[in-house]
Amino acid sequence: MANKQTAQAQECHMKQTPRSDEVKRNVTCRINRIIGQLNGIETMVNEDRYCGDVLTQLAAVESAVKSVSRIVMQDHLETCVVERVQAGDTEAVDEVMSLFKKFM
């Protein structure tokens, strides 16, 4: 019984269809850029740069993170959700609605 639960727990964290190399490259590139932006903001704060400039950079990072979220959401809809619905798992729709609420 414990092995079955462990397998189910691991399964729920893995995609059935791997992400394409293009999606992986795109997301990784964007995340690396975001990390660079955050490091720059940290430097700005440590150097006592003007608050308005720091806030502008924070807004840019927020926008970049939302862009990555949209890419991952699109991939999720086109792969995981489609596969689950085609397999008769209509609970996938509830999951999608919950995810949309997190991003609205």
Side-chain angles (χ1 to χ4, degrees):
M1 176 92 165
N3 286 339
K4 185 177 181 181
Q5 289 174 338
T6 302
Q8 288 173 339
Q10 289 174 345
E11 180 181 321
C12 89
H13 295 290
M14 298 294 294
K15 286 175 63 68
Q16 286 183 304
T17 302
R19 287 180 184 89
S20 70
D21 289 340
E22 181 182 353
V23 169
K24 288 179 186 179
R25 269 192 310 274
N26 191 359
V27 169
T28 299
C29 180
R30 288 169 184 262
I31 288 172
N32 287 334
R33 249 186 265 135
I34 291 166
I35 290 168
Q37 286 176 296
L38 287 170
N39 287 332
I41 292 168
E42 180 181 33
T43 299
M44 291 174 76
V45 169
N46 289 331
E47 292 176 353
D48 294 321
R49 297 275 299 273
Y50 183 64
C51 297
D53 294 340
V54 173
L55 290 167
T56 298
Q57 291 306 308
L58 286 168
V61 167
E62 186 176 355
S63 176
V65 168
K66 286 181 180 180
S67 177
V68 172
S69 296
R70 284 190 295 273
I71 293 167
V72 174
M73 178 66 82
Q74 181 174 352
D75 181 61
H76 180 57
L77 292 171
E78 291 175 347
T79 59
C80 302
V81 175
V82 168
E83 290 167 4
R84 287 176 59 191
V85 170
Q86 287 175 341
D89 180 3
T90 58
E91 289 181 16
V93 175
D94 293 333
E95 179 204 28
V96 169
M97 291 308 299
S98 175
L99 289 170
F100 279 141
K101 288 177 187 175
K102 289 179 183 180
F103 292 99
M104 294 177 110

